[in-house]
Amino acid sequence: MTKPQATQAITATVELDTPLKRGETEVTELTLRKPSAGELRGVSLAEVLQMQTDALITLIPRISNPSLAAAEVRRMDPADLVQCGGEIAGFLLTKRAKGEAD
């Protein structure tokens, strides 16, 4: 028998080295949410895990808060894109692969 689990969104906050400008405001940090299977549509999981730029540009707008447009992700500092990619890749690992207990 499986034990019931509360559905809880897993998130990670990324502080941007280079803030993104949106008119008069600046985006200085992003909260990334673990993607659902539907949000991964049209994206190769292997490319996401390898932090391929095109895959991240497609996925980050779907799971970021504030929600970014693909054009904004393209303007991100490469260091910030890599940091986001690392967090996203971590979301896709199993508990066993991360060394966590059930």
Side-chain angles (χ1 to χ4, degrees):
M1 179 175 231
T2 59
K3 53 185 171 183
Q5 294 186 5
T7 53
Q8 178 181 351
I10 298 171
T11 63
T13 301
V14 175
E15 189 173 327
L16 301 177
D17 285 345
T18 305
L20 295 169
K21 296 232 182 231
R22 278 192 162 166
E24 297 294 316
T25 62
E26 283 190 343
V27 177
T28 58
E29 69 178 27
L30 293 175
T31 300
L32 301 174
R33 177 180 39 76
K34 181 178 182 174
S36 66
E39 290 165 327
L40 293 168
R41 72 191 179 289
V43 179
S44 165
L45 291 178
E47 289 179 357
V48 172
L49 288 169
Q50 293 172 355
M51 295 192 289
Q52 296 278 332
T53 303
D54 289 337
L56 295 177
I57 288 171
T58 301
L59 187 55
I60 290 171
R62 298 177 184 177
I63 64 169
S64 63
N65 186 18
S67 183
L68 298 180
E72 291 174 306
V73 179
R74 282 189 203 94
R75 290 194 314 262
M76 285 179 89
D77 183 296
D80 292 330
L81 185 66
V82 168
Q83 188 175 355
C84 289
E87 294 293 347
I88 293 168
F91 289 149
L92 302 181
L93 297 176
T94 63
K95 289 180 181 181
R96 185 180 307 180
K98 290 189 256 185
E100 296 176 5
D102 287 335

